[in-house]
Amino acid sequence: MTDRITVDPLVCHGKPCIRGLRYPVENVLEWLASGMTIEEILADYEDLEREDILAALSYAARLTHVKRLDRLAA
């Protein structure tokens, strides 16, 4: 995944991106959440690869690995 997801302060304000391209991981996740299929994303963004989409999903899954969540007091 480290070759697919990159973080560079000079690209997209340091947000995690796909292979240094200006496709933030968050955009890929939003496209998938909106119902776009991997095939539709690849058709719309020809410089992306299937492995890029899967790396974005894997990256997001790893971010959700937490030991526990505590509620914040209001």
Side-chain angles (χ1 to χ4, degrees):
M1 180 171 52
T2 57
D3 59 329
R4 295 276 174 183
I5 307 298
T6 58
V7 177
D8 181 343
L10 300 176
V11 177
C12 292
H13 306 286
K15 292 182 178 185
C17 290
I18 305 294
R19 291 185 289 122
L21 302 170
R22 295 187 182 278
Y23 295 110
V25 169
E26 68 181 283
N27 287 17
V28 175
L29 297 173
E30 287 171 354
W31 298 331
L32 291 167
S34 75
M36 286 183 79
T37 65
I38 292 175
E39 292 74 23
E40 290 171 331
I41 294 169
L42 297 176
D44 286 351
Y45 304 95
E46 294 179 1
D47 46 348
L48 291 178
E49 301 170 358
R50 180 177 189 80
E51 292 77 16
D52 296 328
I53 309 300
L54 297 176
L57 285 169
S58 178
Y59 183 84
R62 289 179 63 127
L63 288 178
T64 65
H65 288 221
V66 295
K67 299 221 183 268
R68 77 177 202 198
L69 294 175
D70 289 325
R71 292 184 150 225
L72 297 175

